[in-house]
Amino acid sequence: MCRNSSEMIPYSPLHSSFRLRRPSKHHSFRVHRLINRRRSITKEAKEKEMEIKNLKLYMENKSIIEENNKLRRKALLLVQENQALFSQLQQKISDHACSATMKQDH
């Protein structure tokens, strides 16, 4: 008797090896342990990644602070130069005003 491949074979004890078995407790424990280990590894990887990002931001911040200090020193020098030039200008204006009044007096 030939069976058509589309016909269903009824369940029998002979075919029990094809049955899906429920995982054992030991297997379930191993799976949970692997999942926890994977979580731990990903947590460690995330922590390391955050540590690296933090270090990069720290270095960038330090660089910005150094650049800010350089600019602050340059600004101070420019303010001093501006004050010196302003003082010279006032002196010239004063000298010119004095000479102009002297010429008028004579």
Side-chain angles (χ1 to χ4, degrees):
M1 173 172 158
C2 270
R3 289 189 171 202
N4 189 350
S5 62
S6 65
E7 288 181 21
M8 297 289 288
I9 301 173
Y11 172 76
S12 72
L14 296 174
H15 295 99
S16 66
S17 61
F18 296 112
R19 231 176 49 193
L20 291 176
R21 293 185 185 156
R22 186 174 173 174
S24 68
K25 287 188 178 186
H26 180 68
H27 173 77
S28 183
F29 175 74
R30 287 180 60 199
V31 168
H32 287 294
R33 192 171 56 182
L34 287 172
I35 290 170
N36 287 339
R37 185 171 178 210
R38 185 178 302 154
R39 283 181 186 156
S40 174
I41 290 170
T42 57
K43 184 180 177 186
E44 289 173 8
K46 287 179 183 178
E47 286 174 356
K48 240 194 207 318
E49 183 180 336
M50 288 299 293
E51 191 174 326
I52 290 170
K53 283 182 181 180
N54 191 26
L55 184 60
K56 285 180 181 179
L57 288 172
Y58 171 79
M59 296 302 289
E60 185 179 350
N61 192 28
K62 192 172 180 179
S63 174
I64 290 170
I65 290 171
E66 287 175 10
E67 184 67 23
N68 191 14
N69 287 335
K70 286 180 188 177
L71 291 172
R72 196 180 306 262
R73 287 190 293 269
K74 283 184 181 180
L76 181 63
L77 290 174
L78 288 172
V79 166
Q80 290 172 348
E81 182 182 357
N82 188 23
Q83 288 173 344
L85 290 171
F86 187 69
S87 178
Q88 288 176 4
L89 180 63
Q90 282 183 326
Q91 187 64 39
K92 285 185 180 182
I93 290 173
S94 176
D95 289 347
H96 183 68
C98 280
S99 67
T101 56
M102 289 179 129
K103 284 184 183 178
Q104 284 179 355
D105 289 342
H106 287 10

